[in-house]
Amino acid sequence: MSPLFWAVAAFLSGSIPFSVIIGRIGGGVDVREVGDHNPGASNVIRALNWRWGALALLLDYFKAAVPVGLAWFFAGVEGWAILPVALAPAVGHAFSPWLRFRGGKAVAATFGLWTGLTVGTGPIVLGMLLGLMYAVVTVSAWSVMLTLIAFGIFVITFYGGSHPVFIAVWAGNLLLLALRHWGELHERPALRPWLFKLLHRVTR
């Protein structure tokens, strides 16, 4: 099967609005009417509970991981041909045609696409970086962006030589997340209070 087939399949997989579907099934609610109005797992938690939210998160993750992983490891889509395939599910999630091209922020899909390319390595590093940034920075959008920037250093260091296309995937991924978080990025980031307290104790 051609790279074009896999790119289209990955886009369609990524475009499935699982959070909206689960909101309807689990509680008859539109998750886009709560919280930040984003059709994502966090608003499923707000509208229903953490169990439904966890299900939405896993589905958003696997809808990116599965098509990318199948194309990369089993279908022989290699080199630069994997670039559109890898980005397609995140783009599909962010601009879902089923939601009039108003999709989610593609964070779970980001974890999924890097799982499809690197199995456990990418998502583990992403998870550690995201946890660190959330613990340090107050604005969640900036936590996500700083995570992706730091992740880029990891990608260049460990995959830049063997798979240079991964650098292009990362750059496209970074641009997509910046677009989806753009409104929140206007808010100035700040360090969390606990960090100031810790620095004060260390330096006094």
Side-chain angles (χ1 to χ4, degrees):
M1 295 181 183
S2 69
L4 178 60
F5 167 85
W6 284 105
V8 172
F11 177 85
L12 292 176
S13 176
S15 72
I16 302 172
F18 283 117
S19 292
V20 175
I21 295 170
I22 288 173
R24 296 292 191 189
I25 295 174
V29 298
D30 188 344
V31 298
R32 294 170 294 177
E33 296 178 355
V34 300
D36 60 0
H37 308 292
N38 176 57
S42 60
N43 280 340
V44 175
I45 296 173
R46 294 186 181 100
L48 301 176
N49 55 54
W50 70 267
R51 294 180 181 84
W52 286 110
L55 176 60
L57 185 68
L58 285 173
L59 290 172
D60 283 345
Y61 167 80
F62 281 114
K63 73 182 184 182
V66 171
V68 175
L70 288 175
W72 180 246
F73 288 105
F74 299 102
V77 181
E78 300 175 338
W80 291 96
I82 197 64
L83 175 59
V85 180
L87 293 175
V91 174
H93 179 85
F95 302 101
S96 173
W98 315 114
L99 302 177
R100 299 180 180 179
F101 298 98
R102 297 177 181 176
K105 295 180 178 178
V107 176
T110 291
F111 275 80
L113 76 87
W114 286 105
T115 298
L117 293 175
T118 67
V119 190
T121 308
I124 289 173
V125 174
L126 270 173
M128 292 189 297
L129 289 171
L130 187 60
L132 174 63
M133 296 305 176
Y134 268 118
V136 172
V137 181
T138 57
V139 181
S140 60
W142 278 106
S143 297
V144 172
M145 296 311 300
L146 291 172
T147 294
L148 260 292
I149 291 170
F151 185 67
I153 299 173
F154 165 79
V155 171
I156 293 169
T157 302
F158 290 93
Y159 294 104
S162 58
H163 300 299
V165 66
F166 283 13
I167 300 175
V169 173
W170 164 78
N173 195 183
L174 179 67
L175 176 61
L176 176 64
L177 292 185
L179 288 172
R180 299 308 298 157
H181 290 83
W182 187 251
E184 298 172 58
L185 292 175
H186 291 294
E187 185 177 352
R188 186 175 180 179
L191 298 177
R192 293 194 181 275
W194 71 265
L195 189 58
F196 285 110
K197 293 178 181 178
L198 178 61
L199 291 172
H200 177 71
R201 290 178 181 176
V202 171
T203 57
R204 70 179 180 179

